[in-house]
Amino acid sequence: MEIGKASDLEEIGEVLGRAFADDPVMEWMMPRAADRPRMFVALARYMHDVVEVARDGSGAVTGAALWDPPGFTPDLETGGPALLEVMGDRVAYGMRLEEVFAEHRPKEPHWYLAQIGTDPAVQGTGVGGALLRSGLALCAGLPVYLESSKETNIPIYERFGFAVTEEIKLPDGPAVWGMLRPAVL
């Protein structure tokens, strides 16, 4: 397995689409699973700063993680229309999701793990852990925050030093768990 920077956003979108196929937040926000890969492409292209991928021996993408450093501002001028095109009337759900999440994020400078996912065919083989370790290495010296959209994933993040800070209830939607990892030097 190789961890590196993104080069093929379409392949990343497909992998994240499969990784989040049964995700409660994705089901709430984008009920049509077929639309999600293009949404992930737009998110990776315009809305997040660091896109890391895991590749297998043949070079195929097996997982991806989207990160934002402290102070990062997404490209809303280009990304907004791109997301509207992909999400249609569901963009209102994405905007509400972002508003709710922003209210709960730490106020102090921190790295943000927006999405991390692996192809279901490699889940449980260490690909996600390798992606997470690689990203956390970038974050040395600062806290890291994420929202876990599945309660079953909380123990995985806890093994990497994250702790639940609160349960966040989305309007007419599922619960999400805010998690913080203190700064590690």
Side-chain angles (χ1 to χ4, degrees):
M1 174 178 46
E2 170 192 342
I3 303 291
K5 300 298 177 211
S7 58
D8 186 352
L9 295 181
E10 302 300 324
E11 192 175 2
I12 290 166
E14 292 295 329
V15 166
L16 288 177
R18 288 190 299 274
F20 285 87
D22 65 347
D23 182 83
V25 172
M26 288 298 133
E27 290 172 350
W28 170 80
M29 186 173 65
M30 294 280 293
R32 282 182 26 91
D35 296 333
R36 295 179 197 157
R38 289 182 2 165
M39 180 196 68
F40 282 117
V41 170
L43 290 172
R45 181 171 284 135
Y46 304 112
M47 308 308 280
H48 298 292
D49 190 44
V50 177
V51 179
E52 287 198 310
V53 297
R55 296 181 185 279
D56 65 14
S58 71
V61 173
T62 56
L66 310 180
W67 297 84
D68 296 333
F72 173 74
T73 303
D75 178 4
L76 294 175
E77 187 174 319
T78 308
L83 283 169
L84 181 59
E85 179 184 329
V86 170
M87 296 178 75
D89 63 347
R90 302 307 291 185
V91 78
Y93 285 77
M95 291 169 58
R96 184 66 184 133
L97 176 77
E98 183 53 34
E99 289 170 6
V100 170
F101 282 178
E103 292 170 9
H104 295 275
R105 288 190 188 125
K107 303 305 177 222
E108 70 270 4
H110 65 280
W111 276 82
Y112 175 59
L113 175 56
Q115 281 95 27
I116 186 168
T118 60
D119 192 298
V122 300
Q123 286 176 358
T125 65
V127 173
L131 271 170
L132 193 50
R133 277 189 296 281
S134 175
L136 290 173
L138 298 171
C139 306
L142 288 172
V144 181
Y145 181 78
L146 62 83
E147 296 97 5
S148 179
S149 55
K150 285 187 175 178
E151 192 170 13
T152 55
N153 288 341
I154 291 173
I156 296 168
Y157 294 121
E158 288 175 335
R159 286 196 295 270
F160 287 88
F162 288 87
V164 173
T165 57
E166 66 183 313
E167 183 176 333
I168 303 164
K169 182 75 169 109
L170 295 173
D172 300 319
V176 178
W177 292 266
M179 301 188 74
L180 183 67
R181 179 180 182 256
V184 176
L185 299 176

